[in-house]
PDB file of all heavy atoms in Angstrom:
ATOM      1  N   PHE A  90     188.093  45.903 -35.182  1.00 78.00           N
ATOM      2  CA  PHE A  90     188.982  45.462 -36.286  1.00 78.00           C
ATOM      3  C   PHE A  90     188.422  45.475 -37.640  1.00 78.00           C
ATOM      4  O   PHE A  90     189.047  45.238 -38.587  1.00 78.00           O
ATOM      5  CB  PHE A  90     189.611  44.113 -35.958  1.00 78.00           C
ATOM      6  CG  PHE A  90     190.303  44.103 -34.640  1.00 78.00           C
ATOM      7  CD1 PHE A  90     189.896  43.363 -33.633  1.00 78.00           C
ATOM      8  CD2 PHE A  90     191.392  44.879 -34.393  1.00 78.00           C
ATOM      9  CE1 PHE A  90     190.513  43.243 -32.337  1.00 78.00           C
ATOM     10  CE2 PHE A  90     192.112  44.923 -33.185  1.00 78.00           C
ATOM     11  CZ  PHE A  90     191.594  44.039 -32.149  1.00 78.00           C
ATOM     12  N   LYS A  91     187.089  45.820 -37.820  1.00 74.00           N
ATOM     13  CA  LYS A  91     186.508  45.969 -39.074  1.00 74.00           C
ATOM     14  C   LYS A  91     186.409  44.605 -39.828  1.00 74.00           C
ATOM     15  O   LYS A  91     186.453  44.487 -41.168  1.00 74.00           O
ATOM     16  CB  LYS A  91     187.156  46.929 -39.979  1.00 74.00           C
ATOM     17  CG  LYS A  91     187.364  48.315 -39.310  1.00 74.00           C
ATOM     18  CD  LYS A  91     186.032  48.965 -38.915  1.00 74.00           C
ATOM     19  CE  LYS A  91     186.403  50.225 -38.281  1.00 74.00           C
ATOM     20  NZ  LYS A  91     185.034  50.986 -37.741  1.00 74.00           N
ATOM     21  N   PHE A  92     186.345  43.401 -39.140  1.00 67.00           N
ATOM     22  CA  PHE A  92     186.211  42.142 -39.693  1.00 67.00           C
ATOM     23  C   PHE A  92     184.797  42.017 -40.358  1.00 67.00           C
ATOM     24  O   PHE A  92     183.849  42.509 -39.806  1.00 67.00           O
ATOM     25  CB  PHE A  92     186.435  40.998 -38.785  1.00 67.00           C
ATOM     26  CG  PHE A  92     187.809  40.974 -38.145  1.00 67.00           C
ATOM     27  CD1 PHE A  92     187.984  40.803 -36.874  1.00 67.00           C
ATOM     28  CD2 PHE A  92     188.929  41.025 -39.026  1.00 67.00           C
ATOM     29  CE1 PHE A  92     189.390  40.765 -36.312  1.00 67.00           C
ATOM     30  CE2 PHE A  92     190.248  40.992 -38.493  1.00 67.00           C
ATOM     31  CZ  PHE A  92     190.397  40.809 -37.160  1.00 67.00           C
ATOM     32  N   GLN A  93     184.693  41.298 -41.488  1.00 62.00           N
ATOM     33  CA  GLN A  93     183.519  41.242 -42.206  1.00 62.00           C
ATOM     34  C   GLN A  93     182.542  40.098 -41.743  1.00 62.00           C
ATOM     35  O   GLN A  93     181.325  40.062 -41.996  1.00 62.00           O
ATOM     36  CB  GLN A  93     183.842  41.030 -43.728  1.00 62.00           C
ATOM     37  CG  GLN A  93     184.504  42.216 -44.365  1.00 62.00           C
ATOM     38  CD  GLN A  93     183.866  43.564 -44.232  1.00 62.00           C
ATOM     39  OE1 GLN A  93     182.647  43.614 -44.549  1.00 62.00           O
ATOM     40  NE2 GLN A  93     184.556  44.568 -43.615  1.00 62.00           N
ATOM     41  N   THR A  94     183.147  39.176 -40.997  1.00 65.00           N
ATOM     42  CA  THR A  94     182.319  37.960 -40.642  1.00 65.00           C
ATOM     43  C   THR A  94     182.616  37.632 -39.152  1.00 65.00           C
ATOM     44  O   THR A  94     183.683  37.939 -38.594  1.00 65.00           O
ATOM     45  CB  THR A  94     182.569  36.779 -41.509  1.00 65.00           C
ATOM     46  OG1 THR A  94     183.980  36.460 -41.398  1.00 65.00           O
ATOM     47  CG2 THR A  94     182.129  36.986 -42.932  1.00 65.00           C
ATOM     48  N   ILE A  95     181.773  36.897 -38.437  1.00 69.00           N
ATOM     49  CA  ILE A  95     181.906  36.335 -37.208  1.00 69.00           C
ATOM     50  C   ILE A  95     181.866  34.805 -37.327  1.00 69.00           C
ATOM     51  O   ILE A  95     180.986  34.242 -38.070  1.00 69.00           O
ATOM     52  CB  ILE A  95     180.689  36.727 -36.204  1.00 69.00           C
ATOM     53  CG1 ILE A  95     180.748  38.335 -35.997  1.00 69.00           C
ATOM     54  CG2 ILE A  95     180.871  36.045 -34.859  1.00 69.00           C
ATOM     55  CD1 ILE A  95     179.590  38.799 -35.156  1.00 69.00           C
ATOM     56  N   ASP A  96     182.861  34.171 -36.710  1.00 72.00           N
ATOM     57  CA  ASP A  96     183.005  32.673 -36.936  1.00 72.00           C
ATOM     58  C   ASP A  96     181.911  31.988 -36.033  1.00 72.00           C
ATOM     59  O   ASP A  96     182.328  31.648 -34.900  1.00 72.00           O
ATOM     60  CB  ASP A  96     184.446  32.261 -36.640  1.00 72.00           C
ATOM     61  CG  ASP A  96     184.719  30.895 -37.037  1.00 72.00           C
ATOM     62  OD1 ASP A  96     183.717  30.107 -37.263  1.00 72.00           O
ATOM     63  OD2 ASP A  96     185.847  30.446 -37.260  1.00 72.00           O
ATOM     64  N   PHE A  97     180.718  31.801 -36.534  1.00 75.00           N
ATOM     65  CA  PHE A  97     179.677  31.106 -35.752  1.00 75.00           C
ATOM     66  C   PHE A  97     180.093  29.625 -35.487  1.00 75.00           C
ATOM     67  O   PHE A  97     179.710  29.040 -34.424  1.00 75.00           O
ATOM     68  CB  PHE A  97     178.395  31.189 -36.413  1.00 75.00           C
ATOM     69  CG  PHE A  97     177.799  32.651 -36.415  1.00 75.00           C
ATOM     70  CD1 PHE A  97     177.907  33.489 -37.480  1.00 75.00           C
ATOM     71  CD2 PHE A  97     177.228  33.188 -35.208  1.00 75.00           C
ATOM     72  CE1 PHE A  97     177.304  34.746 -37.485  1.00 75.00           C
ATOM     73  CE2 PHE A  97     176.731  34.414 -35.140  1.00 75.00           C
ATOM     74  CZ  PHE A  97     176.814  35.205 -36.345  1.00 75.00           C
ATOM     75  N   ASP A  98     180.800  29.020 -36.415  1.00 78.00           N
ATOM     76  CA  ASP A  98     181.102  27.553 -36.347  1.00 78.00           C
ATOM     77  C   ASP A  98     181.927  27.354 -35.058  1.00 78.00           C
ATOM     78  O   ASP A  98     181.652  26.377 -34.267  1.00 78.00           O
ATOM     79  CB  ASP A  98     181.875  27.168 -37.567  1.00 78.00           C
ATOM     80  CG  ASP A  98     181.965  25.615 -37.557  1.00 78.00           C
ATOM     81  OD1 ASP A  98     181.000  24.966 -37.507  1.00 78.00           O
ATOM     82  OD2 ASP A  98     183.212  25.120 -37.720  1.00 78.00           O
ATOM     83  N   ILE A  99     182.919  28.160 -34.749  1.00 83.00           N
ATOM     84  CA  ILE A  99     183.698  27.879 -33.557  1.00 83.00           C
ATOM     85  C   ILE A  99     182.957  28.194 -32.296  1.00 83.00           C
ATOM     86  O   ILE A  99     183.119  27.609 -31.233  1.00 83.00           O
ATOM     87  CB  ILE A  99     185.136  28.792 -33.590  1.00 83.00           C
ATOM     88  CG1 ILE A  99     186.000  28.325 -32.497  1.00 83.00           C
ATOM     89  CG2 ILE A  99     184.780  30.186 -33.492  1.00 83.00           C
ATOM     90  CD1 ILE A  99     186.319  26.736 -32.417  1.00 83.00           C
ATOM     91  N   ILE A 100     182.002  29.232 -32.363  1.00 84.00           N
ATOM     92  CA  ILE A 100     181.207  29.437 -31.220  1.00 84.00           C
ATOM     93  C   ILE A 100     180.326  28.157 -30.962  1.00 84.00           C
ATOM     94  O   ILE A 100     180.212  27.861 -29.814  1.00 84.00           O
ATOM     95  CB  ILE A 100     180.290  30.713 -31.491  1.00 84.00           C
ATOM     96  CG1 ILE A 100     181.226  32.046 -31.561  1.00 84.00           C
ATOM     97  CG2 ILE A 100     179.270  30.857 -30.378  1.00 84.00           C
ATOM     98  CD1 ILE A 100     180.491  33.196 -31.931  1.00 84.00           C
ATOM     99  N   PHE A 101     179.791  27.629 -32.000  1.00 83.00           N
ATOM    100  CA  PHE A 101     179.088  26.394 -31.787  1.00 83.00           C
ATOM    101  C   PHE A 101     179.915  25.271 -31.138  1.00 83.00           C
ATOM    102  O   PHE A 101     179.428  24.739 -30.109  1.00 83.00           O
ATOM    103  CB  PHE A 101     178.639  25.752 -33.160  1.00 83.00           C
ATOM    104  CG  PHE A 101     177.498  26.451 -33.813  1.00 83.00           C
ATOM    105  CD1 PHE A 101     177.206  26.145 -35.186  1.00 83.00           C
ATOM    106  CD2 PHE A 101     176.820  27.544 -33.204  1.00 83.00           C
ATOM    107  CE1 PHE A 101     176.208  26.864 -35.847  1.00 83.00           C
ATOM    108  CE2 PHE A 101     175.748  28.120 -33.808  1.00 83.00           C
ATOM    109  CZ  PHE A 101     175.487  27.892 -35.196  1.00 83.00           C
ATOM    110  N   LYS A 102     181.101  25.148 -31.416  1.00 84.00           N
ATOM    111  CA  LYS A 102     181.962  24.131 -30.940  1.00 84.00           C
ATOM    112  C   LYS A 102     182.286  24.425 -29.465  1.00 84.00           C
ATOM    113  O   LYS A 102     182.186  23.480 -28.548  1.00 84.00           O
ATOM    114  CB  LYS A 102     183.348  24.168 -31.661  1.00 84.00           C
ATOM    115  CG  LYS A 102     183.282  23.420 -32.985  1.00 84.00           C
ATOM    116  CD  LYS A 102     184.669  23.353 -33.581  1.00 84.00           C
ATOM    117  CE  LYS A 102     184.645  22.520 -34.922  1.00 84.00           C
ATOM    118  NZ  LYS A 102     186.081  22.367 -35.506  1.00 84.00           N
ATOM    119  N   LEU A 103     182.531  25.736 -29.138  1.00 87.00           N
ATOM    120  CA  LEU A 103     182.930  25.993 -27.760  1.00 87.00           C
ATOM    121  C   LEU A 103     181.688  25.888 -26.931  1.00 87.00           C
ATOM    122  O   LEU A 103     181.932  25.555 -25.600  1.00 87.00           O
ATOM    123  CB  LEU A 103     183.563  27.373 -27.663  1.00 87.00           C
ATOM    124  CG  LEU A 103     184.818  27.692 -28.373  1.00 87.00           C
ATOM    125  CD1 LEU A 103     185.182  29.169 -28.464  1.00 87.00           C
ATOM    126  CD2 LEU A 103     185.942  26.879 -27.724  1.00 87.00           C
ATOM    127  N   ILE A 104     180.546  26.210 -27.357  1.00 89.00           N
ATOM    128  CA  ILE A 104     179.339  26.067 -26.522  1.00 89.00           C
ATOM    129  C   ILE A 104     178.941  24.661 -26.261  1.00 89.00           C
ATOM    130  O   ILE A 104     178.396  24.236 -25.180  1.00 89.00           O
ATOM    131  CB  ILE A 104     178.146  26.894 -27.182  1.00 89.00           C
ATOM    132  CG1 ILE A 104     178.536  28.351 -27.227  1.00 89.00           C
ATOM    133  CG2 ILE A 104     176.889  26.685 -26.323  1.00 89.00           C
ATOM    134  CD1 ILE A 104     178.745  29.043 -25.932  1.00 89.00           C
ATOM    135  N   LEU A 105     179.196  23.760 -27.298  1.00 90.00           N
ATOM    136  CA  LEU A 105     178.779  22.320 -27.179  1.00 90.00           C
ATOM    137  C   LEU A 105     179.469  21.619 -25.856  1.00 90.00           C
ATOM    138  O   LEU A 105     178.597  20.890 -25.221  1.00 90.00           O
ATOM    139  CB  LEU A 105     179.224  21.553 -28.323  1.00 90.00           C
ATOM    140  CG  LEU A 105     178.250  21.496 -29.554  1.00 90.00           C
ATOM    141  CD1 LEU A 105     178.894  20.865 -30.702  1.00 90.00           C
ATOM    142  CD2 LEU A 105     176.975  20.824 -29.227  1.00 90.00           C
ATOM    143  N   PHE A 106     180.661  21.838 -25.550  1.00 92.00           N
ATOM    144  CA  PHE A 106     181.212  21.192 -24.463  1.00 92.00           C
ATOM    145  C   PHE A 106     180.533  21.538 -23.109  1.00 92.00           C
ATOM    146  O   PHE A 106     180.071  20.641 -22.436  1.00 92.00           O
ATOM    147  CB  PHE A 106     182.688  21.566 -24.432  1.00 92.00           C
ATOM    148  CG  PHE A 106     183.438  20.859 -23.355  1.00 92.00           C
ATOM    149  CD1 PHE A 106     183.089  19.705 -22.781  1.00 92.00           C
ATOM    150  CD2 PHE A 106     184.734  21.396 -22.888  1.00 92.00           C
ATOM    151  CE1 PHE A 106     183.848  19.064 -21.771  1.00 92.00           C
ATOM    152  CE2 PHE A 106     185.448  20.781 -21.933  1.00 92.00           C
ATOM    153  CZ  PHE A 106     185.022  19.536 -21.323  1.00 92.00           C
ATOM    154  N   PRO A 107     180.494  22.833 -22.692  1.00 93.00           N
ATOM    155  CA  PRO A 107     179.785  23.077 -21.405  1.00 93.00           C
ATOM    156  C   PRO A 107     178.284  22.662 -21.408  1.00 93.00           C
ATOM    157  O   PRO A 107     177.719  22.242 -20.372  1.00 93.00           O
ATOM    158  CB  PRO A 107     179.938  24.616 -21.153  1.00 93.00           C
ATOM    159  CG  PRO A 107     180.288  25.248 -22.552  1.00 93.00           C
ATOM    160  CD  PRO A 107     181.016  24.056 -23.257  1.00 93.00           C
ATOM    161  N   ILE A 108     177.663  22.722 -22.590  1.00 93.00           N
ATOM    162  CA  ILE A 108     176.251  22.269 -22.741  1.00 93.00           C
ATOM    163  C   ILE A 108     176.239  20.829 -22.303  1.00 93.00           C
ATOM    164  O   ILE A 108     175.380  20.340 -21.551  1.00 93.00           O
ATOM    165  CB  ILE A 108     175.694  22.485 -24.115  1.00 93.00           C
ATOM    166  CG1 ILE A 108     175.143  23.975 -24.272  1.00 93.00           C
ATOM    167  CG2 ILE A 108     174.502  21.558 -24.366  1.00 93.00           C
ATOM    168  CD1 ILE A 108     174.651  24.329 -25.576  1.00 93.00           C
ATOM    169  N   PHE A 109     177.001  20.009 -23.026  1.00 95.00           N
ATOM    170  CA  PHE A 109     176.998  18.544 -22.660  1.00 95.00           C
ATOM    171  C   PHE A 109     177.432  18.288 -21.285  1.00 95.00           C
ATOM    172  O   PHE A 109     176.929  17.300 -20.591  1.00 95.00           O
ATOM    173  CB  PHE A 109     177.918  17.862 -23.677  1.00 95.00           C
ATOM    174  CG  PHE A 109     177.221  17.406 -25.005  1.00 95.00           C
ATOM    175  CD1 PHE A 109     177.771  17.781 -26.176  1.00 95.00           C
ATOM    176  CD2 PHE A 109     176.030  16.601 -24.863  1.00 95.00           C
ATOM    177  CE1 PHE A 109     177.149  17.432 -27.452  1.00 95.00           C
ATOM    178  CE2 PHE A 109     175.390  16.284 -26.112  1.00 95.00           C
ATOM    179  CZ  PHE A 109     175.916  16.718 -27.198  1.00 95.00           C
ATOM    180  N   LEU A 110     178.397  18.929 -20.655  1.00 95.00           N
ATOM    181  CA  LEU A 110     178.762  18.810 -19.264  1.00 95.00           C
ATOM    182  C   LEU A 110     177.605  18.972 -18.318  1.00 95.00           C
ATOM    183  O   LEU A 110     177.298  18.086 -17.502  1.00 95.00           O
ATOM    184  CB  LEU A 110     179.746  19.874 -18.859  1.00 95.00           C
ATOM    185  CG  LEU A 110     181.300  19.483 -19.112  1.00 95.00           C
ATOM    186  CD1 LEU A 110     182.104  20.821 -18.957  1.00 95.00           C
ATOM    187  CD2 LEU A 110     181.731  18.403 -18.222  1.00 95.00           C
ATOM    188  N   ILE A 111     176.843  20.049 -18.520  1.00 95.00           N
ATOM    189  CA  ILE A 111     175.602  20.300 -17.728  1.00 95.00           C
ATOM    190  C   ILE A 111     174.470  19.349 -18.000  1.00 95.00           C
ATOM    191  O   ILE A 111     173.760  18.898 -17.154  1.00 95.00           O
ATOM    192  CB  ILE A 111     175.213  21.773 -17.892  1.00 95.00           C
ATOM    193  CG1 ILE A 111     176.327  22.760 -17.352  1.00 95.00           C
ATOM    194  CG2 ILE A 111     173.850  22.067 -17.277  1.00 95.00           C
ATOM    195  CD1 ILE A 111     176.185  24.189 -17.715  1.00 95.00           C
ATOM    196  N   LEU A 112     174.289  19.067 -19.342  1.00 95.00           N
ATOM    197  CA  LEU A 112     173.286  18.237 -19.750  1.00 95.00           C
ATOM    198  C   LEU A 112     173.474  16.717 -19.222  1.00 95.00           C
ATOM    199  O   LEU A 112     172.491  16.168 -18.708  1.00 95.00           O
ATOM    200  CB  LEU A 112     173.094  18.280 -21.305  1.00 95.00           C
ATOM    201  CG  LEU A 112     172.052  17.244 -21.820  1.00 95.00           C
ATOM    202  CD1 LEU A 112     170.663  17.724 -21.461  1.00 95.00           C
ATOM    203  CD2 LEU A 112     172.159  17.247 -23.417  1.00 95.00           C
ATOM    204  N   PHE A 113     174.630  16.291 -19.316  1.00 96.00           N
ATOM    205  CA  PHE A 113     174.826  14.881 -19.002  1.00 96.00           C
ATOM    206  C   PHE A 113     174.741  14.671 -17.562  1.00 96.00           C
ATOM    207  O   PHE A 113     174.190  13.670 -17.017  1.00 96.00           O
ATOM    208  CB  PHE A 113     176.170  14.413 -19.438  1.00 96.00           C
ATOM    209  CG  PHE A 113     176.418  12.916 -19.371  1.00 96.00           C
ATOM    210  CD1 PHE A 113     175.819  12.096 -20.337  1.00 96.00           C
ATOM    211  CD2 PHE A 113     177.258  12.391 -18.447  1.00 96.00           C
ATOM    212  CE1 PHE A 113     175.982  10.777 -20.215  1.00 96.00           C
ATOM    213  CE2 PHE A 113     177.307  10.984 -18.326  1.00 96.00           C
ATOM    214  CZ  PHE A 113     176.716  10.156 -19.227  1.00 96.00           C
ATOM    215  N   ARG A 114     175.222  15.692 -16.778  1.00 95.00           N
ATOM    216  CA  ARG A 114     174.924  15.601 -15.321  1.00 95.00           C
ATOM    217  C   ARG A 114     173.514  15.556 -14.924  1.00 95.00           C
ATOM    218  O   ARG A 114     173.115  14.848 -14.064  1.00 95.00           O
ATOM    219  CB  ARG A 114     175.646  16.888 -14.618  1.00 95.00           C
ATOM    220  CG  ARG A 114     175.448  16.787 -13.069  1.00 95.00           C
ATOM    221  CD  ARG A 114     176.079  18.185 -12.505  1.00 95.00           C
ATOM    222  NE  ARG A 114     175.401  19.379 -12.975  1.00 95.00           N
ATOM    223  CZ  ARG A 114     175.847  20.515 -12.630  1.00 95.00           C
ATOM    224  NH1 ARG A 114     176.926  20.754 -11.843  1.00 95.00           N
ATOM    225  NH2 ARG A 114     175.178  21.537 -13.032  1.00 95.00           N
ATOM    226  N   SER A 115     172.742  16.401 -15.608  1.00 94.00           N
ATOM    227  CA  SER A 115     171.341  16.472 -15.270  1.00 94.00           C
ATOM    228  C   SER A 115     170.608  15.131 -15.625  1.00 94.00           C
ATOM    229  O   SER A 115     169.743  14.682 -15.011  1.00 94.00           O
ATOM    230  CB  SER A 115     170.612  17.636 -16.047  1.00 94.00           C
ATOM    231  OG  SER A 115     169.286  17.760 -15.823  1.00 94.00           O
TER     232      SER A 115
END
């Protein structure tokens, strides 16, 4: 789509949840 940027902020947000799920269990 020739977008000029990638939204890294939302990627951070989406990754945080599964990270904390796995981390807290551990």
Side-chain angles (χ1 to χ4, degrees):
F90 301 115
K91 309 300 180 185
F92 295 132
Q93 298 302 309
T94 59
I95 296 174
D96 193 341
F97 290 102
D98 190 52
I99 189 57
I100 293 175
F101 287 168
K102 285 186 177 183
L103 292 176
I104 296 300
L105 272 174
F106 182 24
I108 277 180
F109 272 125
L110 272 170
I111 295 167
L112 176 66
F113 193 76
R114 179 183 64 185
S115 180

